[in-house]
Every structure is written in C-alpha cells, then in structure tokens.
Amino acid sequence: MTRIRKQAQRFVLAVGLMLLPALSMAADQGTRPQAKGAGPQSRPAAAQSSPMNVEQLNDNIAQYSGRQVSVAGEIEEWLDSRSFVLESGGLFNDEIAVVVPPNAKGLDLQRLHEDADVVVSGTVRSVPVIELERELGWDFDPELEVELEGTKNFLVVDRITRQRD
C-alpha cells in the first residue's frame, strides 16, 4: 500500500474516531444501526444480484470459502503477470490477492492496468500459499511467494469484467 494511501486511511480513521461520540448519542436516542449480518449483504453468493465489494467478502470470508463469488473492486497493484491485489476503497479489510490460474482461458490481462475498476468472478480459497500452488499446479516465482507469505485468502479467477473507468 502506498504511503499516501496509508496517510489518508489514518486521517479518515481519526475523523471517524472524532465522530464516534456523536454516533453513540444518536444510538442512545433510539436510532439503532442495523444488526451486523442482517440485510442484503449477508445473502449467500448465489443469491446476490450484484457483486459484493472486497470488504464484504473479507468480513464473511469463512462463509464464502470454496464458493464461487463475484467481487467488484479496483486493481491496486500487480504482483506479477498473473496475480494482483484487488481492493474496494474501504479503511480496513479491503484487499484480497487475486490469482489467475495458468490454465485460465479467454482472459485478456494485457488490457488491465492498475487502478482499473473490475468485477472478478472466481472461487474463494482460504489456504496457505503453498497449498494454493499445489492445487493450481503452479510453482509461484520466489518473489511472489515472499509477497504472499502470510496471506490466507485468495480469489482464484474464472472471469474478469472491466467496468467503465
């Protein structure tokens, strides 16, 4: 993540912390926020009519592990020619590593650039990087292995649709 982005996130967090007392007072006056997990965001992936964002996926990652999902976001950074970080612009928990398997057909990755808005459809895998390599039959570049060390959640791509920028 870039230094500027981290500074912006800290600023937004500080502003949010300053607003917390006002939100708490509103809740005390009878305005209750919707319970976590309630509403359309908690529907299973198959029932969703539009793609979720990365933060929604990560907030319920166990529910989606091993399942097919569609996730909207922005390509934050390319890790190598077949993997990138997808982010949704939130403050926390808004990034996931996206991996394009070697046997993927019909994906034109050359036309995708950093900051491109995309919808990625694929399978959520919650496994260590070494296990993902074995499953995909793909020996990642050592630099990529270091970059992904400690990453536990991946989105293995079936389809990428570019949104209008």
Side-chain angles (χ1 to χ4, degrees):
M1 195 178 317
T2 66
R3 193 176 90 233
I4 293 171
R5 182 184 194 110
K6 286 182 182 178
Q7 289 173 343
Q9 287 182 343
R10 287 185 189 124
F11 173 77
V12 172
L13 177 61
V15 170
L17 289 174
M18 289 189 306
L19 292 174
L20 192 57
L23 294 173
S24 177
M25 285 180 5
D28 289 343
Q29 295 174 357
T31 307
R32 291 202 169 119
Q34 187 175 9
K36 183 173 176 86
Q41 292 178 0
S42 65
R43 290 182 293 183
Q48 288 193 321
S49 59
S50 62
M52 68 182 96
N53 66 39
V54 180
E55 194 168 6
Q56 291 166 326
L57 171 64
N58 285 336
D59 285 348
N60 299 295
I61 197 74
Q63 173 185 350
Y64 295 109
S65 185
R67 295 179 62 191
Q68 190 79 15
V69 297
S70 289
V71 183
E74 179 181 291
I75 297 175
E76 180 179 329
E77 116 182 70
W78 281 93
L79 301 173
D80 72 358
S81 64
R82 300 192 70 77
S83 60
F84 58 89
V85 176
L86 185 70
E87 63 98 22
S88 63
L91 279 179
F92 302 103
N93 206 22
D94 74 329
E95 298 178 340
I96 192 163
V98 176
V99 178
V100 180
N103 61 351
K105 306 262 189 271
L107 295 176
D108 185 10
L109 301 178
Q110 306 331 358
R111 64 187 189 105
L112 299 175
H113 56 82
E114 287 185 8
D115 301 325
D117 291 319
V118 294
V119 174
V120 178
S121 298
T123 305
V124 176
R125 297 297 300 131
S126 297
V127 296
V129 68
I130 201 111
E131 177 69 18
L132 185 66
E133 284 180 296
R134 188 184 62 72
E135 286 179 12
L136 297 176
W138 179 16
D139 188 21
F140 292 166
D141 183 88
E143 290 178 20
L144 180 59
E145 285 181 6
V146 169
E147 181 81 27
L148 294 174
E149 186 177 340
T151 303
K152 295 179 183 157
N153 300 307
F154 299 89
L155 186 53
V156 180
V157 174
D158 292 328
R159 186 178 74 230
I160 302 174
T161 306
R162 185 174 175 156
Q163 303 299 296
R164 299 199 193 284
D165 291 328

